[in-house]
Amino acid sequence: MKTIDELLAEGVSGKRVFVRADLNVPLDGTTITDDGRIRAVVPTVKALADAGARVVVASHLGRPKGAPEAKFSLAPAAARLGELLGADVAFATDTVGDSATATVAGLADGQVAVIENLRFNAGETSKDDAERGAFADQLAALADVYVGDGFGAVHRKHASVFDLPGKLPHAAGYLIATEVGVLKKLTDDVKRPYTVILGGAKVSDKLAVIDELLGKADRLLIGGGMAYTFLKAKGYEVGISLLQEDQIPTVLEYMERAEKNGVELVLPVDVLVSTDFPDLKTKAPATFETVDADKIPADMEGLDIGPKSRELFAAKIADAETVFWNGPVGVAEHPDYAGGTASIARALLNCDGFTVVGGGDSAAAVRNLGFDENAFGHISTGGGASLEYLEGKTLPGLAALEG
């Protein structure tokens, strides 16, 4: 995989460099609530601009259906990128149309532009190779060189991620190089004990990675909504907690395999429960109680791990040499149910090993709860991409950069 440093050494002054970034940030209207992904691409964009390249930044945001939707515009992300760069960033109001063509043509050496949301064009996500390739051809007309730096999208076989690199000279940006280096420490060169914490809502989202980790991790800590399927598999009452009953046979098989392989599978021993799901908009105080994990009332829902579970999980993290964490262990968007997730973050900070926060909701939670992200070994920008890499899958965007 060619690096951006190799590309810079060859010279990019005057060249149009297409940077596939991941600016898929959470928005409240037009207000960015977590700019971590934008900050992550700044080193690559700045290095190219400082070297005299005419930088064209592209990304998706949200899940528009192949046509423009105002709520998914990249305009707020473009404005924030300009603030972080301390320079004006031009914005094209389309992807490959008149605005994009004129905006890119108007760039001088060292200037940066952002084109509109790639998913406003159906060709970006099309499963038809010809349609996707045709859109990639249009994107290629905007550039001379391609730099892949949108790690959060490399697991997608999309036009700007998979097809476009094959049409231009290409290299990996600083972010992708860093992310891949970190993932190799979680797969090929693991220091032990190796503790993995998995949270989030659905156990089905994590089945493949659990399957792979049962042969690699020393300890597997399960929290979040997915934990209740494991608790139900143990025969416990889980009330109205999130439950995927159809996954119980698989979960049982995993629990048996963990025991056979000597992998310590740790579940919550107590939980915070309530009859009402909290109001995440107003953050109004919630009414809840703490119960043992095998004593959840039939009319109540588990919403966070309890104090004994927090201590237990922290103890399993304390002496680890490698830690990977993906997914909040409670409804961390609400202050009354953020304590469990905050306790995991603190345990990682107190651990002397190599700690990785695996992107997505857990990365946002760490920042929103006020933790210093620089205190962790690494905070990934791509939860889904990280998980698929750990599953052993070939990621289309990485394969394209290696070609």
Side-chain angles (χ1 to χ4, degrees):
M1 191 183 292
K2 188 174 185 177
T3 68
I4 189 172
D5 286 331
E6 291 172 307
L7 180 67
L8 292 168
E10 293 170 0
V12 293
S13 183
K15 291 183 179 179
R16 299 169 302 161
V17 180
F18 188 103
V19 177
R20 200 336 178 158
D22 179 11
L23 308 181
N24 185 28
V25 291
L27 293 169
D28 182 2
T30 58
T31 302
I32 297 168
T33 57
D34 178 12
D35 67 355
R37 284 177 168 165
I38 303 175
R39 285 186 284 114
V41 79
V42 166
T44 290
V45 173
K46 189 173 187 313
L48 290 165
D50 288 349
R54 302 176 183 194
V55 187
V56 183
V57 180
S59 176
H60 70 287
L61 191 151
R63 296 180 182 270
K65 305 298 183 188
E69 290 184 57
K71 67 180 179 180
F72 293 127
S73 174
L74 277 175
R80 181 60 181 147
L81 179 62
E83 291 170 0
L84 293 166
L85 290 169
D88 290 335
V89 169
F91 182 66
T93 56
D94 58 23
T95 55
V96 290
D98 293 341
S99 178
T101 302
T103 300
V104 174
L107 289 175
D109 293 359
Q111 290 187 328
V112 180
V114 174
I115 62 174
E116 188 53 286
N117 192 333
L118 292 163
R119 291 186 183 175
F120 285 179
N121 189 304
E124 170 67 0
T125 59
S126 176
K127 289 184 168 49
D128 181 84
D129 291 350
E131 185 180 10
R132 219 176 47 246
F135 182 49
D137 285 336
Q138 291 178 292
L139 292 172
L142 298 173
D144 305 303
V145 180
Y146 176 94
V147 171
D149 214 30
F151 179 73
V154 293
H155 58 314
R156 305 294 186 195
K157 193 177 180 181
H158 291 170
S160 65
V161 177
F162 177 74
D163 301 88
L164 185 54
K167 299 177 184 295
L168 295 169
H170 51 267
Y174 290 124
L175 174 61
I176 279 188
T178 298
E179 294 274 15
V180 171
V182 166
L183 287 167
K184 284 183 176 172
K185 289 185 179 180
L186 299 177
T187 51
D188 303 334
D189 186 25
V190 181
K191 291 184 178 177
R192 299 185 181 279
Y194 180 17
T195 296
V196 176
I197 310 106
L198 295 177
K202 295 181 177 179
V203 69
S204 57
D205 293 343
K206 307 280 168 72
L207 286 177
V209 76
I210 293 171
D211 186 60
E212 188 71 16
L213 288 168
L214 285 173
K216 291 183 176 172
D218 298 302
R219 299 169 188 148
L220 197 51
L221 282 49
I222 307 289
M226 61 185 288
Y228 300 101
T229 301
F230 281 84
L231 293 172
K232 184 72 172 180
K234 285 175 71 75
Y236 297 167
E237 169 66 61
V238 297
I240 56 171
S241 305
L242 194 60
L243 174 65
Q244 288 186 282
E245 202 133 14
D246 60 321
Q247 301 298 338
I248 287 176
T250 305
V251 164
L252 278 168
E253 191 265 317
Y254 285 174
M255 291 164 77
E256 289 169 10
R257 221 165 88 218
E259 189 172 357
K260 183 180 173 184
N261 291 355
V263 177
E264 201 177 349
L265 200 154
V266 184
L267 299 175
V269 292
D270 62 342
V271 292
L272 271 55
V273 295
S274 177
T275 53
D276 301 306
F277 194 83
D279 189 327
L280 301 183
K281 210 162 188 67
T282 66
K283 307 287 199 295
T287 302
F288 62 89
E289 57 186 89
T290 303
V291 300
D292 289 343
D294 60 349
K295 292 183 175 60
I296 298 174
D299 63 342
M300 288 189 153
E301 178 177 13
L303 296 165
D304 195 10
I305 61 171
K308 288 188 286 188
S309 300
R310 296 171 196 180
E311 285 183 23
L312 173 64
F313 281 26
K316 300 299 182 184
I317 293 166
D319 66 341
E321 289 293 327
T322 305
V323 184
F324 174 73
W325 170 33
N326 182 283
V329 295
V331 185
E333 304 94 325
H334 193 281
D336 288 330
Y337 301 117
T341 298
S343 74
I344 299 294
R346 277 192 295 273
L348 263 66
L349 292 180
N350 292 330
C351 173
D352 292 330
F354 179 60
T355 57
V356 179
V357 181
D361 293 337
S362 38
V366 162
R367 285 189 277 263
N368 292 338
L369 290 170
F371 290 95
D372 177 6
E373 58 189 289
N374 295 316
F376 298 90
H378 179 69
I379 296 184
S380 178
T381 56
S386 295
L387 288 176
E388 291 201 13
Y389 189 101
L390 292 179
E391 288 166 22
K393 289 184 178 177
T394 297
L395 306 188
L398 297 185
L401 290 174
E402 287 165 353

